Amino acid sequence: MKPTDAIRHAGNVDAAGHVRGESIYLDDLPEQAGTLHGAVFASPIAHGSLRDLHRDAARAAPGVIAVLTATEIPGENQIGGIVPDEPLLAAGEVHYAGQPIAVVFATTEAAARAAVKLMTADIEPRSAVFDPREAARLGHLIVPPRSFRIGDLDAAWSQCAHVFEGSAETGGQEHLYIETQGAYAIPTEAGGLRIHSSTQGPTAVQRTAARVLGIPMHRIEVDVTRLGGGFGGKEDQATPWAVLAALGAWRLRRPCKLVLHRADDMRMTGKRHPYASDFKIGLAADLRILAYEVTFYQDAGAAADLSPAVLERTLFHHTNSYFVPNARATAYSCRTNVVPHTAFRGFGGPQGMFVIEAAIARAAEALGIESAVIQERNLLRDGDVFPYGQIAARCNARRTWEDLVSRFEIAALRQEIERFNASHATEKKGLALMPICFGISFTKTFMNQASALVHVYQDGSVGVSTAAVEMGQGVNSKVAQVAAHGLGVGLARVRIESTNTARVANTSPSAASASADLNGKATERACDALRARLLAHAAVMLGKAATAAGGSPAGAPAAGLAVRDERVYDGDTPTKIAWVDLVRAAFLNRVQLTAQAHYATPEIHFDWTTEKGHPFAYHAYGTAAIVARLDVVRGTYVIESALASHDFGRSMNPIVDRGQAEGGIVQGIGWMTMEELMFDAEGRLRTNALSTYKVPDIYAAPERLEVHFLDLEGPPHAILGSKAVGEPPLLYGIGAYFAVRRAIRAANPKADIAFSAPITPEKTLRALHGARFAARRAAPRPTRAHAP
Ligand code: MTE
Ligand code: MOS
């Protein structure tokens, strides 16, 4: 059964509230009388021994109720999810600038912040490490290194006609969710707490708060209405702020709210992991990739956070959408003295894919051919095996490539660019094609589960609770569509409730692009059960069965009956029973109008002792073309076009999916081009404001941004055949680096360009005019007095 067009074109159910400014975020919750506000005192230095903390002045400051430190924690001072290596509040040692040491609670936010400014700490500095390669040399690893292997790499090198080596690095990325991190914790009766948190992972907040407070999870209820963006930054790192608010509420028995200001959020929360990598690629004379070796050094920051899981996805995606028969990928998660880095859209996948694209570019440049020739030659086909053992099935890598090339007339575009470059001296264009392949499922198999609780109220309206957190990606719209479709009612009948741990427990975070699939499938199951019960009763009403409750086992479909457009149908014939009448009659006949269902993705498994298995429910594929236009004099550039042919399966909500694709592409381009994190020699983030950290705005978005929907039959594990779309399109942005690189080489074929992203205008200018820069800098220059 396919969703009706009305449901497919639902758009985003939140749109009206958003544009009117009526949607509720954490900071919009009405505050209870007596609410206290928190502010965090954090380490000013990157590494040291905490000798003393001076909090008396803060304690005595106006409005201050308490200054809490590690010693005030009743349970365990531990928030590490994968590795227990991260205290909530530093004790004994600090490991990065921005690490929370104390939290002040005061009657107003301003008072709390003012009090934090009165605090100082005596910290004896210790040597700090900021370079992941150096951390690896020193043996400072978060977890033991991991290696994925396929084929016989050592033997393969001798069969290669061409072998190239190099290094590549990608920078971090600030999530810049519009709503900063925050939480509001309210004491409830009998020693309970309700925590409103801007989190992608309500259960992580609940579990960690219980651990830190030393109380059972059932005393804590976490509630999330929606987030003003998460992008992975609130998968794990919403937790500390929520637990600090909970700590305040627990100790002070008053509602406590903690919301980070932007600069504090940028300073105190982790980002996309920067990576440094080494690669070696071997090609046959016919340009098939025969061998690929890669070593990744992940800058994990000072604690594990999600780094081991992110590292794993780097390994899963190190061959992107290419078949590589012989490969060895080794990955080190390196402990450094910066803020612990965390999930960010793509979850380590983009970092892995950038390196193989760099290896292909290096080979193509040396061989004097287009990267596209090597890329196309090596695209995955059905039956090819991934380095982790899964066999490519329903593989649309080539389909999207071919569709892109013909639909957007790439050959003509290439000629046009050549003509442009031949006739322009101070402007050059570059084109890059970027095929992508992204595995859908959490790579930790146990996380691939979700539940739904669906109530049909006696007036026929429907309330749905799931584990899914709405963060702008449109999952509420999709779950509502599933329920409307499943029950045969209009979307207006369905309301998606907040995400609440007391209604839906033991949830995985909304992440890995899997929320719509997992929660949608659970909702589908709950609706199946409800529909079966209701139709069994309809059969009685129509005289087709004697009894419903007694006669028809729950779940058995009543022969020939269906609900469509809010009416019971007998085959193709509408009956006299409307949805509301059916619900009312069923209620009066004591039919249960609530269903709960659980879904766990079938078939997937992975054995980390052999690093082989079938970890993904399916893969998302696509290909993009990115064109950059470079100002050769200034080193500035624009991304002229981003054109993609993407495999959405059969999109259940094209408006939402287009938004995801366009937003992802622009976010990916930002990571590759302009977003640059800068730390000073002491490891303090200097780019901690929007004036110094540049994210793409509408002017930086591609002048032409077109995403074509390849309307293909979706895989069975995708909800309603509609493939997951949250993260994959970000990967197209990688093409922006290579497009700019090609434009630079069009201007200066000898340009020495590092495989180092972001390729900022500064780097571009140096690559274009490197020799002249060096000469200028060597020449003595008159010193000028500083302006006052
Ligand atoms: N889109 C918006 N508007 N806001 C977000 O925070 N997060 C991204 C992606 N798209 C995000 C977004 C990330 S990192 C993921 S994993 C998915 O959405 C999560 O939602 P999904 O599982 O429903 O795709
Ligand atoms: Mo997304 S990085 O999996 O939250």
Side-chain angles (χ1 to χ4, degrees):
M1 199 165 55
K2 288 181 188 156
T4 61
D5 267 5
I7 287 180
R8 241 181 131 223
H9 294 286
N12 190 326
V13 298
D14 275 344
H18 285 359
V19 298
R20 293 193 190 112
E22 291 169 358
S23 299
I24 304 275
Y25 296 87
L26 183 94
D27 224 12
D28 301 317
L29 295 174
E31 278 163 26
Q32 293 192 3
T35 292
L36 301 176
H37 298 265
V40 175
F41 174 75
S43 172
I45 73 163
H47 191 198
S49 305
L50 192 53
R51 293 270 174 259
D52 205 358
L53 185 66
H54 305 289
R55 53 173 161 170
D56 293 348
R59 271 195 180 133
V64 171
I65 304 296
V67 181
L68 305 178
T69 63
T71 48
E72 275 83 26
I73 289 174
E76 212 185 325
N77 183 16
Q78 183 52 251
I79 59 169
I82 299 179
V83 180
D85 68 348
E86 191 177 0
L88 176 67
L89 291 169
E93 276 197 30
V94 290
H95 295 279
Y96 63 93
Q99 182 174 0
I101 297 175
V103 57
V104 175
F105 286 101
T107 49
T108 66
E109 203 182 310
R113 285 181 204 288
V116 162
K117 294 215 173 84
L118 300 174
M119 292 184 67
T120 54
D122 291 342
I123 304 173
E124 193 180 301
R126 300 177 55 175
S127 69
V129 177
F130 302 118
D131 175 13
R133 289 179 190 265
E134 192 193 336
R137 267 195 302 278
L138 295 168
H140 296 178
L141 300 181
I142 300 276
V143 285
R146 283 176 70 177
S147 241
F148 278 24
R149 291 152 206 264
I150 183 170
D152 185 346
L153 184 71
D154 297 325
W157 295 119
S158 63
Q159 291 156 30
C160 296
H162 316 285
V163 175
F164 304 96
E165 290 181 71
S167 298
E169 54 185 60
T170 48
Q173 186 174 21
E174 168 62 46
H175 300 87
L176 223 97
Y177 23 68
I178 291 178
E179 179 193 37
T180 55
Q181 303 275 6
Y184 185 30
I186 301 165
T188 55
E189 66 173 22
L193 279 179
R194 184 167 65 248
I195 307 174
H196 298 275
S197 165
S198 179
T199 180
Q200 291 174 241
T203 291
V205 168
Q206 183 193 22
R207 186 179 56 230
T208 313
R211 181 181 191 176
V212 169
L213 299 179
I215 59 176
M217 284 170 75
H218 72 195
R219 288 225 215 146
I220 298 170
E221 172 190 354
V222 179
D223 190 88
V224 185
T225 300
R226 67 164 64 70
L227 317 187
F231 304 109
K234 295 172 181 171
E235 184 176 339
D236 228 34
Q237 297 214 357
T239 300
W241 322 109
V243 177
L244 285 172
L247 176 67
W250 180 254
R251 290 210 64 106
L252 309 171
R253 287 278 117 198
R254 284 171 73 167
C256 286
K257 188 169 170 182
L258 177 62
V259 176
L260 296 185
H261 273 198
R262 179 66 66 188
D264 284 343
D265 188 303
M266 291 178 86
R267 187 163 66 95
M268 297 183 192
T269 69
K271 305 166 195 322
R272 182 188 293 285
H273 294 81
Y275 273 59
S277 311
D278 299 319
F279 63 80
K280 184 172 168 188
I281 191 169
L283 294 94
D286 66 0
L287 302 178
R288 273 177 306 122
I289 301 172
L290 293 184
Y292 182 54
E293 182 170 20
V294 59
T295 309
F296 297 107
Y297 299 92
Q298 176 198 57
D299 182 350
D305 190 85
L306 293 168
S307 298
V310 170
L311 189 81
E312 183 170 76
R313 199 174 268 276
T314 302
L315 289 169
F316 280 115
H317 292 314
H318 77 275
T319 53
N320 190 11
S321 50
Y322 308 112
F323 171 60
V324 181
N326 305 287
R328 182 161 62 228
T330 306
Y332 296 88
S333 181
C334 310
R335 197 184 290 275
T336 62
N337 293 106
V338 295
V339 60
H341 291 309
T342 195
F344 197 129
R345 206 172 192 173
F347 208 78
Q351 290 95 319
M353 292 183 196
F354 179 81
V355 185
I356 193 160
E357 293 302 327
I360 290 172
R362 159 84 15 111
E365 288 167 8
L367 298 171
I369 57 172
E370 301 265 354
S371 287
V373 179
I374 302 177
Q375 290 173 311
E376 186 183 11
R377 180 87 22 109
N378 291 283
L379 288 174
L380 283 162
R381 297 172 194 274
D382 270 349
D384 283 343
V385 58
F386 287 96
Y388 45 91
Q390 185 159 344
I391 310 288
R394 295 165 171 267
C395 172
N396 291 320
R398 279 171 193 277
R399 239 167 131 167
T400 62
W401 178 284
E402 281 156 17
D403 184 77
L404 177 100
V405 166
S406 62
R407 180 174 309 279
F408 294 107
E409 301 180 352
I410 299 300
L413 183 64
R414 196 168 260 138
Q415 279 174 11
E416 195 187 300
I417 290 173
E418 272 163 27
R419 273 199 302 275
F420 180 93
N421 287 349
S423 59
H424 289 71
T426 59
E427 276 190 302
K428 297 289 177 189
K429 292 189 187 184
L431 163 75
L433 297 199
M434 184 64 206
I436 64 160
C437 166
F438 197 76
I440 303 302
S441 287
F442 286 96
T443 57
K444 289 277 171 278
T445 302
F446 80 89
M447 292 177 80
N448 294 287
Q449 55 174 322
S451 0
L453 178 67
V454 180
H455 300 310
V456 176
Y457 294 99
Q458 51 194 284
D459 67 353
S461 64
V462 178
V464 181
S465 294
T466 70
V469 170
E470 174 60 50
M471 52 186 135
Q473 89 280 38
V475 71
N476 279 2
S477 306
K478 290 186 174 179
V479 170
Q481 286 174 275
V482 171
H485 174 59
L487 297 174
V489 301
L491 261 179
R493 292 247 183 233
V494 181
R495 180 182 169 86
I496 305 298
E497 304 292 351
S498 66
T499 315
N500 184 297
T501 55
R503 266 180 272 116
V504 178
N506 304 321
T507 63
S508 290
S510 287
S513 306
S515 314
D517 280 355
L518 297 174
N519 296 283
K521 291 273 186 183
T523 303
E524 193 173 54
R525 285 190 175 179
C527 292
D528 285 350
L530 286 165
R531 196 179 59 235
R533 284 181 217 149
L534 286 164
L535 289 179
H537 190 71
V540 178
M541 292 169 77
L542 292 168
K544 297 184 83 151
T547 56
S552 163
L561 298 184
V563 194
R564 276 199 303 277
D565 304 329
E566 310 206 340
R567 179 159 299 278
V568 176
Y569 275 71
D570 188 353
D572 288 334
T573 320
T575 70
K576 60 182 195 305
I577 310 174
W579 167 256
V580 282
D581 302 328
L582 174 61
V583 170
R584 180 92 193 133
F587 170 68
L588 293 175
N589 282 277
R590 300 185 294 171
V591 174
Q592 192 197 354
L593 294 181
T594 290
Q596 189 275 347
H598 178 256
Y599 175 78
T601 314
E603 286 167 40
I604 54 173
H605 57 88
F606 193 70
D607 178 351
W608 56 266
T609 60
T610 57
E611 305 285 22
K612 299 281 180 197
H614 185 103
F616 297 118
Y618 58 90
H619 292 82
Y621 294 96
T623 306
I626 312 277
V627 179
R629 188 174 69 243
L630 173 69
D631 179 327
V632 176
V633 179
R634 295 174 180 83
T636 53
Y637 50 77
V638 293
I639 302 300
E640 198 174 79
S641 45
L643 313 168
S645 185
H646 189 80
D647 167 20
F648 291 86
R650 194 137 282 151
S651 171
M652 69 183 285
N653 192 326
I655 296 171
V656 162
D657 285 353
R658 185 176 295 283
Q660 284 295 291
E662 293 179 353
I665 290 172
V666 174
Q667 199 167 34
I669 291 173
W671 173 50
M672 281 285 117
T673 59
M674 61 204 296
E675 297 186 40
E676 191 174 36
L677 295 164
M678 295 213 181
F679 293 85
D680 66 16
E682 277 79 52
R684 281 181 296 238
L685 181 69
R686 304 317 310 220
T687 48
N688 68 343
L690 288 172
S691 53
T692 47
Y693 184 79
K694 294 294 184 189
V695 287
D697 56 14
I698 193 64
Y699 303 104
E703 290 169 356
R704 181 178 171 212
L705 177 51
E706 283 180 39
V707 179
H708 177 70
F709 282 56
L710 263 184
D711 195 26
L712 304 170
E713 197 192 324
H717 299 326
I719 182 67
L720 298 174
S722 182
K723 283 190 172 186
V725 71
E727 294 165 284
L730 179 133
L731 302 161
Y732 293 134
I734 295 172
Y737 167 89
F738 293 94
V740 173
R741 183 180 175 93
R742 292 203 59 114
I744 298 171
R745 289 176 58 88
N748 176 2
K750 293 205 202 84
D752 177 19
I753 318 166
F755 288 109
S756 169
I759 186 157
T760 57
E762 289 89 333
K763 285 188 197 164
T764 304
L765 199 63
R766 282 180 197 283
L768 282 164
H769 311 292
R772 256 170 288 169
F773 262 112
R776 264 235 225 117
R777 239 188 287 139
R781 289 177 59 192
T783 45
R784 213 193 296 158
H786 283 296

